[in-house]
Amino acid sequence: MDELDHNILTLLERNGRLSHEEIGKLLHISRPSVHQRVAKLEKSGIIKGYRGLIDWSRLDQKIKVVISVKVVSRYFQEVADKIVEMEIPGVTLMECLRMAGEWCMMLKVRVGSPEQITLLIDEIVKIPEVKETSTTFVLSTIYEDGLKGM
């Protein structure tokens, strides 16, 4: 991967809808060259996919929380799998991260109401290998997914 590939990735991270022609103009290379490089980056797994970034504050899920979880270490993957598979109406799990330190797991979640957080936490603490949780409500997002003010 060279500097040109890195520049293509940076542009696509900022705007995944850019056409190969637009990228070529911005980087002063041909559209077929961009196409070939993007295809190589996709095939190698560097580009995992494309997605839309949603302004959830304009929809029903306006509340974002971070839930820290202490888990019996040897059961980390099993607990993570159970949490990821939970289906609670109005709750969207955005990320499940393994952490080093006092808390071994962090969940980023979007919901429409505090009651939905209560339902989620009630389900999480039912998992026998979960020792403790701590929930923090996010007041505002300054920078997310490479963009300001998400």
Side-chain angles (χ1 to χ4, degrees), residues 14-109:
R14 288 185 192 145
N15 182 358
R17 295 184 64 148
L18 282 175
S19 70
H20 292 174
E21 185 173 341
E22 291 170 313
I23 293 170
K25 286 179 184 176
L26 290 167
L27 298 178
H28 309 290
I29 59 175
S30 69
R31 185 196 53 75
S33 178
V34 172
H35 177 76
Q36 181 182 29
R37 286 174 174 269
V38 169
K40 184 177 84 176
L41 292 165
E42 289 172 342
K43 185 175 181 181
S44 68
I46 293 172
I47 295 177
K48 294 181 177 184
Y50 303 88
R51 64 187 175 126
L53 295 175
I54 299 160
D55 184 352
W56 291 101
S57 68
R58 296 176 178 257
L59 299 171
D60 291 339
Q61 293 185 324
K62 294 181 182 188
I63 302 170
K64 188 189 309 182
V65 298
V66 176
I67 302 172
S68 300
V69 184
K70 286 184 185 175
V71 177
V72 176
S73 295
R74 68 176 177 245
Y75 297 107
F76 179 88
Q77 191 59 54
E78 291 88 340
V79 171
D81 291 343
K82 288 177 184 176
I83 291 171
V84 169
E85 291 169 5
M86 288 180 180
E87 292 185 27
I88 299 171
V91 175
T92 301
L93 176 63
M94 299 162 38
E95 289 187 70
C96 177
L97 307 169
R98 186 168 197 163
M99 309 297 289
E102 182 180 354
W103 299 94
C104 54
M105 183 184 298
M106 184 174 72
L107 309 171
K108 277 178 51 180
V109 181

Side-chain angles (χ1 to χ4, degrees), residues 87-147:
E87 292 185 27
I88 299 171
V91 175
T92 301
L93 176 63
M94 299 162 38
E95 289 187 70
C96 177
L97 307 169
R98 186 168 197 163
M99 309 297 289
E102 182 180 354
W103 299 94
C104 54
M105 183 184 298
M106 184 174 72
L107 309 171
K108 277 178 51 180
V109 181
R110 288 196 188 278
V111 298
S113 72
E115 293 79 16
Q116 291 164 322
I117 292 295
T118 302
L119 292 173
L120 175 61
I121 293 169
D122 287 350
E123 290 302 309
I124 291 172
V125 297
K126 286 180 186 176
I127 301 170
E129 297 81 14
V130 170
K131 296 185 209 176
E132 186 178 351
T133 67
S134 174
T135 303
T136 304
F137 283 77
V138 176
L139 299 177
S140 65
T141 299
I142 307 304
Y143 193 81
E144 182 177 64
D145 290 325
L147 300 172

